[in-house]
């Protein structure tokens, strides 16, 4: 079953703008991770945030986690055309999920030059 | 270069045929995973292995089989029992269970 759900399904912005993607989940988690996938390629890990953390940064990426609302957001600042890709959140709910990582269906981000 | 290698990149299966997808990693990771991705969808877990000689079914294991005889290798066989095998298959590995997965470049399987 899908634990994480991304919103929006698709997002189109201009280069230089910020992009925000959201992920909601249903059960308590150990950690939440964001991945990026270029078309026809494998996924690349971006950031992992643990349940006791509220915010993490990596370069132009900022991830927040609100465990009370069971949601996370990924912010990409000053976007570039090369950021065009699908972005997935994945949750590790520990034994609750049978000790597996569950992926959402992704947000397709298009950054127009 | 360290990494995870999937082969072939494209694979075609005839009806009634079993096919095997290769996944090799030289990252010294204990955990390995197989995911299936359908167009416009997220990833669904087929099988995973957290240690050599042990593996567990994921959410959609029916029609698939795996082996984990070596730490570096986790091949996936798509059997004739899998009636809808057309999909993009992704292999991944990680040092710790379910954290920071490294993915291969995928195998696109199609039915002739």
């Amino acid at each position: 079953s899908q634990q994480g759900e991304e919103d929006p399904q698709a997002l189109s912005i201009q280069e230089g703008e910020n992009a925000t993607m959201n992920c909601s989940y249903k059960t308590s988690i150990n950690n939440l991770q964001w991945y990026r996938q270029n078309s026809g390629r494998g996924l690349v890990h971006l950031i992992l945030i643990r349940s006791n953390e509220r915010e993490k940064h990596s370069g132009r990426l900022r991830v927040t986690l609100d465990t009370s609302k069971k949601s996370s957001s990924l912010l990409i600042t000053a976007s570039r055309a090369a950021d065009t890709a699908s972005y997935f959140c994945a949750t590790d709910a520990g034994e609750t999920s049978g000790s597996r990582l569950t992926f959402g269906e992704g947000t397709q981000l298009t950054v127009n030059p | 270069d360290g990494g995870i290698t999937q082969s072939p990149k494209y694979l075609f299966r005839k009806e009634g045929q079993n096919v095997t997808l290769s996944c090799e990693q030289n990252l010294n990771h204990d955990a390995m995973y197989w995911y299936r991705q359908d167009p416009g969808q997220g990833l669904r877990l087929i099988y995973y292995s957290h240690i050599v000689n042990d593996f567990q079914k994921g959410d959609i294991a029916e029609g698939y089989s795996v082996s984990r005889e070596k730490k570096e290798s986790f091949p996936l066989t798509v059997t004739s029992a899998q009636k809808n095998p057309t999909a993009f298959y992704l292999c991944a590995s990680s040092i710790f269970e379910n954290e920071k997965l490294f993915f291969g470049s995928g195998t696109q399987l199609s039915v002739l």
Side-chain angles (χ1 to χ4, degrees), chain A residues 99-113:
Chain A
S99 191
R100 62 194 61 182
L101 201 59
T102 306
F103 285 80
E105 297 190 352
T107 292
Q108 172 61 53
L109 173 66
T110 302
V111 181
N112 302 298

Side-chain angles (χ1 to χ4, degrees), chain A residues 40-104:
Chain A
R41 306 295 296 275
L43 279 70
V44 175
H45 182 268
L46 297 176
I47 289 184
L48 180 153
I49 187 165
R50 301 194 185 279
S51 59
N52 62 350
E53 298 175 308
R54 292 296 167 258
E55 187 170 313
K56 286 190 88 168
H57 296 255
S58 177
R60 294 184 295 112
L61 306 181
R62 173 178 168 248
V63 168
T64 61
L65 179 65
D66 187 334
T67 54
S68 66
K69 294 181 179 179
K70 293 186 170 60
S71 68
S72 174
S73 66
L74 170 66
L75 168 68
I76 303 174
T77 60
S79 63
R80 305 166 181 168
D83 294 327
T84 295
S86 292
Y87 292 82
F88 295 89
C89 69
T91 53
D92 175 13
E95 292 301 317
T96 303
S97 67
S99 191
R100 62 194 61 182
L101 201 59
T102 306
F103 285 80

Side-chain angles (χ1 to χ4, degrees), chain B residues 6-101:
Chain B
Q6 288 187 242
S7 63
K9 188 170 178 62
Y10 300 98
L11 186 58
F12 297 90
R13 193 192 88 167
K14 296 179 181 178
E15 194 163 340
Q17 185 182 41
N18 293 350
V19 293
T20 298
L21 284 61
S22 171
C23 179
E24 302 279 333
Q25 54 99 356
N26 61 3
L27 299 168
N28 200 33
H29 288 172
D30 282 317
M32 296 189 75
Y33 316 80
W34 274 106
Y35 287 91
R36 169 179 170 142
Q37 186 178 32
D38 291 281
Q41 303 294 312
L43 278 63
R44 291 185 290 167
L45 183 64
I46 305 172
Y47 269 98
Y48 63 99
S49 168
H50 287 158
I51 199 165
V52 176
N53 294 320
D54 186 48
F55 49 83
Q56 305 294 328
K57 292 182 179 180
D59 297 316
I60 55 166
E62 187 174 348
Y64 300 97
S65 66
V66 293
S67 63
R68 187 84 189 276
E69 297 175 0
K70 297 186 300 181
K71 189 175 187 177
E72 305 79 31
S73 179
F74 192 39
L76 173 74
T77 296
V78 183
T79 74
S80 56
Q82 173 49 248
K83 298 305 180 187
N84 183 24
T86 297
F88 190 52
Y89 290 86
L90 287 160
C91 179
S93 69
S94 64
I95 297 176
F96 302 112
E97 295 176 16
N98 301 324
E99 290 195 7
K100 193 175 180 181
L101 272 59

